[in-house]
Amino acid sequence: MATTFAAAIRDGLATALAVDDDVICFGLGTDDPKGVFGTTLDLHKQFGSDRVFDMPTSEAAMTGFAIGAALNGMRPVMTHQRLDFALLSLDQLVNNAAKWRFMFGGKRGVPITIRMIIGRGWGQGPTHSQSLQSWFAHIPGLKVVMPTTAEDAKGLLLGAIFDDDPVIFLEHRWLHNMKGEVPAGDVRSPLGKARIVRQGDAVTIVAMSYMTVEALHAVDHLATQGIACDLIDLRSIRPLDWPAVIASVQKTGRLLALDSGHLTGGVAGEIVARVATDHFASLKSAPQRLAAPDVPEATSPALTKNYHVRAEHIAEAVGRMLGREVEIASLVAQRTFPHDVPGTWFSGPF
Amino acid sequence: MNPETSRRLLFDMLRIRSVEETIAARYGEQKMRCPTHLSVGQEAVSAAAGAVLRPTDLAVSGHRAHAHYLAKGGSLKAMIAEIYGKVTGCARGKGGSMHLVDESVGFMGSTAIVGGTVPVGVGLSYPMKLNQTGQISCVFLGDAVPETGVFFESVNFAVVKQLPVLFLCENNGYSVYSPLSVRQPPGRKLYELVAGFGLKTHHGDGNDARAVYAALSEGVAAIRAGEGPRFYEFETYRWREHCGPMYDNDLGYRTMAEFEAWKLRDPVPALQRALITEAIVTAADVADMQAEIDAEIEEAFAFAESSPFPPPEDAFTDVYASAAG
Ligand SMILES: Cc1ncc(C[n+]2csc(CCOP(=O)(O)OP(=O)(O)O)c2C)c(N)n1
């Protein structure tokens, strides 16, 4: 039966809480009537308020609390309704969680999972929309996971919770209502394995999270024009599945790296750099990247119209790389709802 | 309190209420495309603060700032246009409802991260102290803010340096759907907690505009006189949902009985009744006020609707002082 991405997260949390008494789950609003967009709904009723609980607006302290609880045997899952709120806890994540195993000579690790939701659209604006995966991926000792499908949301969340290192688990708000088949039970996916979404020999497109959805529209549209692309959904930003990326580039000779974060210092730049420095001979053309521009996201809908990378931009980029015209008008025409919402189901305010 | 101030309080409360209710009524038109946090029910504190603070005083706030912005003298037209995402908005459409600013009246900015502007408000006060300007800095905050580290770090430094800061807390009992009981231990009073840092604190009824005004008048005079920072906590209640235009009592995070009890203590008609009884205003005066307010609101929404959106290239401006970067 198809379930939503949000329900799959909830399923993953329930599974983890059921199979391991050391799993605890907390964050602002975890046990409230909305349950963090439905992802934690009523879990406290099933597992008790010692294991599933709300917290004060004390992001830094509660992250350190999670680290301490993990050092003493638990597997905490902490949730932030927006990634932006987690920025208050960067010191704990970077100086403690990421370093603990290393700085104490491997004595103990910090098996925490920090969920952060990335907002966008409907005026989320400069402080509710940031896609900062590259910040976290920059820190040795942290792992960074970004699922796209409902199935991966559950599998990778379970993989993250039972991973023995700190994992930053990034969920895009625009994926929460997307449906997919989700297997039952304790289905842990290993971290660090990309998924090949579409196969082709023209261009390798590397995507993550919601960018994979836009890329999929582009790739399927290009296929109708005789252009077959490899589409790789990274699923995990650190560790990153370099073998999958490189094998594909060796096949296609062309790389287009997509990023939901800003261009400068982003994950797409890292992918381009690695491929260009280590596999230059595989490339038939200069590698390309598409990312959010180096400006904050404004609130006005008039200023977000051209802010995000969309399917048509990806299709155009592929056309440019191949030196041929591609038709995109019919792709743009398929969209039946405003640019700042993920679908007709969304009418604000969040 | 002089009659003029009483009338001003009533006018400002009626105005804030009507603005927020109009936003709620029109939000469904899908033209205000940003999160909005309304303060219907909480008008008394804002109105009193607006009457006590001088235009030259500075203020900062958080996500629920419409009332603070208006009370401090912010332009209604610019605020509604901002919520509509128009170029005529107070932040040229960049910020939306959660990021209001009007430096011309000392409203230095509201931001959306809980606690984010508290140290900024303390910083604003430092030049005031050094230059003995006689101004004060007002930090509007909710009851979730004294859960953040940065709040205590900021209060501490304001006390160390004896800075002219008014920490003004509207305690509405909830942080989104989380009651105080899951965020503070039983029996804890925020004003008592904060007093431990060595500053005077005060606690009062946030639905009694004149009592809030009296308390703040005394406190602000003391801060202005160089007595250092103060913390004021006023208990009040948010009627509508945390974010958005609806009522959300069906969710069950608060009881209907609690909601109804607070509604009976609606601060706006309470002041109106009192002022009529005391013959400070007549029913006709109130009707005139309301008519003036309604006309202003209609004009502000018309202004927002007819204003242009920012040009697309504006998405890339204002990141740095000059084009480089
Ligand atoms: C650091 C941070 N954490 C979480 C949030 C999400 N959030 C937005 S408003 C809010 C509630 C704040 O409650 P309170 O200070 O009492 O103000 P109120 O909304 O009741 O006016 C929360 C938790 C945030 N904006 N910033």
Side-chain angles (χ1 to χ4, degrees):
Chain A
M1 197 192 67
T3 65
T4 64
F5 184 102
I9 294 283
R10 190 192 175 283
D11 184 3
L13 288 170
T15 304
L17 286 158
V19 301
D20 186 343
D21 287 344
D22 288 326
V23 174
I24 57 171
C25 174
F26 64 93
L28 281 174
T30 300
D31 63 2
D32 80 19
K34 292 276 178 78
V36 190
F37 309 118
T39 62
T40 61
L41 203 60
D42 291 337
L43 288 174
H44 63 292
K45 293 184 183 159
Q46 201 176 337
F47 297 99
S49 59
D50 284 343
R51 298 184 62 205
V52 179
F53 52 92
D54 205 339
M55 69 171 213
T57 313
S58 310
E59 283 84 1
M62 294 306 292
T63 305
F65 165 88
I67 294 168
L71 289 171
N72 200 15
M74 297 192 123
R75 290 191 178 275
V77 185
M78 182 176 176
T79 304
H80 301 278
Q81 309 227 17
R82 286 284 181 275
L83 176 148
D84 317 69
F85 309 157
L87 300 188
L88 280 88
S89 64
L90 275 181
D91 164 57
Q92 288 295 328
L93 290 173
V94 175
N95 287 322
N96 281 345
K99 308 283 194 296
W100 206 273
R101 186 183 295 282
F102 181 83
M103 71 186 164
F104 295 116
K107 290 218 163 44
R108 210 172 264 276
V110 177
I112 57 173
T113 301
I114 311 288
R115 296 174 55 210
M116 302 179 193
I117 292 164
I118 297 167
R120 162 174 170 178
W122 196 275
Q124 297 299 314
T127 60
H128 277 55
S129 61
Q130 300 170 87
S131 208
L132 298 175
Q133 59 272 17
S134 69
W135 283 26
F136 301 107
H138 186 68
I139 307 300
L142 295 182
K143 293 179 175 173
V144 182
V145 172
M146 294 184 88
T148 305
T149 66
E151 178 179 0
D152 282 346
K154 178 178 177 185
L156 290 168
L157 181 60
L158 282 164
I161 293 171
F162 293 106
D163 189 280
D164 287 330
D165 292 313
V167 182
I168 309 297
F169 191 87
L170 302 177
E171 291 164 38
H172 203 292
R173 178 81 185 101
W174 282 26
L175 295 173
H176 271 151
N177 269 40
M178 298 227 331
K179 285 192 174 169
E181 294 297 326
V182 176
D186 186 359
V187 285
R188 302 178 194 181
S189 302
L191 309 186
K193 286 270 169 291
R195 182 171 59 101
I196 312 298
V197 184
R198 290 284 188 274
Q199 302 217 27
D201 53 13
V203 174
T204 296
I205 303 176
V206 181
M208 81 278 285
S209 184
Y210 182 72
M211 288 307 297
T212 310
V213 176
E214 293 290 344
L216 195 54
H217 288 305
V219 167
D220 287 348
H221 180 73
L222 290 167
T224 64
Q225 299 174 55
I227 300 171
C229 293
D230 254 11
L231 173 57
I232 299 176
D233 176 7
L234 284 177
R235 302 201 286 190
S236 167
I237 309 297
R238 186 171 187 142
L240 198 141
D241 192 347
W242 292 109
V245 173
I246 288 154
S248 173
V249 171
Q250 282 170 344
K251 176 175 67 170
T252 64
R254 293 188 170 85
L255 169 66
L256 173 60
L258 308 179
D259 201 329
S260 58
H262 299 294
L263 187 73
T264 298
V267 173
E270 174 62 25
I271 293 168
V272 166
R274 285 270 183 121
V275 169
T277 51
D278 297 353
H279 301 277
F280 190 62
S282 307
L283 290 167
K284 290 186 230 165
S285 66
Q288 301 293 320
R289 53 194 170 137
L290 290 176
D294 285 331
V295 294
E297 180 170 341
T299 301
S300 172
L303 298 179
T304 53
K305 240 175 216 152
N306 303 314
Y307 184 88
H308 294 285
V309 175
R310 312 206 57 142
E312 56 269 29
H313 308 128
I314 299 166
E316 278 169 345
V318 167
R320 278 196 305 274
M321 292 175 77
L322 295 172
R324 57 168 281 193
E325 285 283 310
V326 296
E327 181 277 325
I328 57 156
S330 62
L331 179 63
V332 175
Q334 279 169 30
R335 240 185 333 262
T336 54
F337 43 82
H339 78 278
D340 59 345
V341 295
T344 46
W345 57 273
F346 190 97
S347 61
F350 273 108
Chain B
M1 180 184 296
N2 65 38
E4 198 191 316
T5 307
S6 297
R7 276 195 293 270
R8 175 183 170 162
L9 286 182
L10 179 60
F11 183 87
D12 283 0
M13 286 169 72
L14 286 168
R15 179 167 175 258
I16 293 166
R17 170 68 55 92
S18 302
V19 168
E20 296 283 67
E21 289 292 359
T22 309
I23 293 171
R26 300 185 61 163
Y27 194 75
E29 293 168 7
Q30 308 272 308
K31 291 180 191 163
M32 293 176 259
R33 301 178 83 80
C34 65
T36 49
H37 304 77
L38 305 179
S39 40
V40 178
Q42 303 187 192
E43 296 86 350
V45 177
S46 303
V52 171
L53 295 172
R54 297 176 184 159
T56 48
D57 291 330
L58 303 181
V60 287
S61 180
H63 57 284
R64 194 180 308 283
H66 296 171
H68 306 151
Y69 171 89
L70 292 174
K72 191 69 182 69
S75 150
L76 177 62
K77 278 184 172 173
M79 180 177 101
I80 301 298
E82 187 59 35
I83 299 173
Y84 271 76
K86 298 300 181 75
V87 72
T88 50
C90 60
R92 297 180 55 86
K94 296 265 175 81
S97 159
M98 297 197 290
H99 306 101
L100 302 176
V101 65
D102 188 343
E103 294 191 3
S104 70
V105 295
F107 195 82
M108 299 303 283
S110 63
T111 68
I113 304 297
V114 170
T117 50
V118 178
V120 176
V122 173
L124 288 172
S125 76
Y126 194 52
M128 299 171 177
K129 160 119 181 166
L130 292 188
N131 301 326
Q132 299 181 340
T133 64
Q135 296 161 281
I136 73 153
S137 171
C138 173
V139 179
F140 288 100
L141 54 120
D143 51 274
V145 176
E147 293 156 34
T148 65
V150 76
F151 172 77
F152 289 106
E153 295 170 20
S154 307
V155 169
N156 180 53
F157 194 68
V159 175
V160 168
K161 292 284 185 190
Q162 288 292 295
L163 299 176
V165 187
L166 170 67
F167 296 100
L168 182 47
C169 176
E170 282 168 70
N171 180 348
N172 63 17
Y174 292 89
S175 166
V176 191
Y177 312 111
S178 305
L180 264 168
S181 60
V182 302
R183 302 178 281 126
Q184 299 279 344
R188 159 82 51 83
K189 292 289 178 194
L190 296 177
Y191 68 99
E192 289 176 358
L193 175 73
V194 177
F197 276 84
L199 71 168
K200 280 205 174 131
T201 68
H202 173 97
H203 174 244
D205 176 1
N207 278 21
D208 182 342
R210 290 194 290 183
V212 176
Y213 177 85
L216 288 182
S217 299
E218 190 270 323
V220 164
I223 297 169
R224 248 190 249 292
E227 290 181 21
R230 286 201 182 187
F231 177 86
Y232 281 78
E233 177 190 357
F234 293 105
E235 304 222 16
T236 183
Y237 204 71
R238 150 176 69 75
W239 289 11
R240 290 179 179 269
E241 61 186 336
H242 163 70
C243 177
M246 317 294 271
Y247 287 95
D248 64 357
N249 296 312
D250 55 305
L251 293 176
Y253 72 99
R254 54 188 190 182
T255 64
M256 272 317 278
E258 177 185 289
F259 176 77
E260 294 295 351
W262 276 99
K263 257 195 116 162
L264 287 176
R265 300 179 46 204
D266 187 340
V268 187
L271 182 64
Q272 183 176 317
R273 277 193 306 270
L275 297 190
I276 290 176
T277 309
E278 295 165 28
I280 294 169
V281 296
T282 64
D285 292 338
V286 177
D288 287 349
M289 286 183 189
Q290 191 62 54
E292 182 184 339
I293 289 164
D294 290 346
E296 187 200 3
I297 292 174
E298 197 169 317
E299 197 189 336
F301 274 85
F303 172 76
E305 297 237 358
S306 63
S307 287
F309 279 112
E313 57 275 19
D314 269 18
F316 303 92
T317 59
D318 300 324
V319 183
Y320 298 103
S322 64

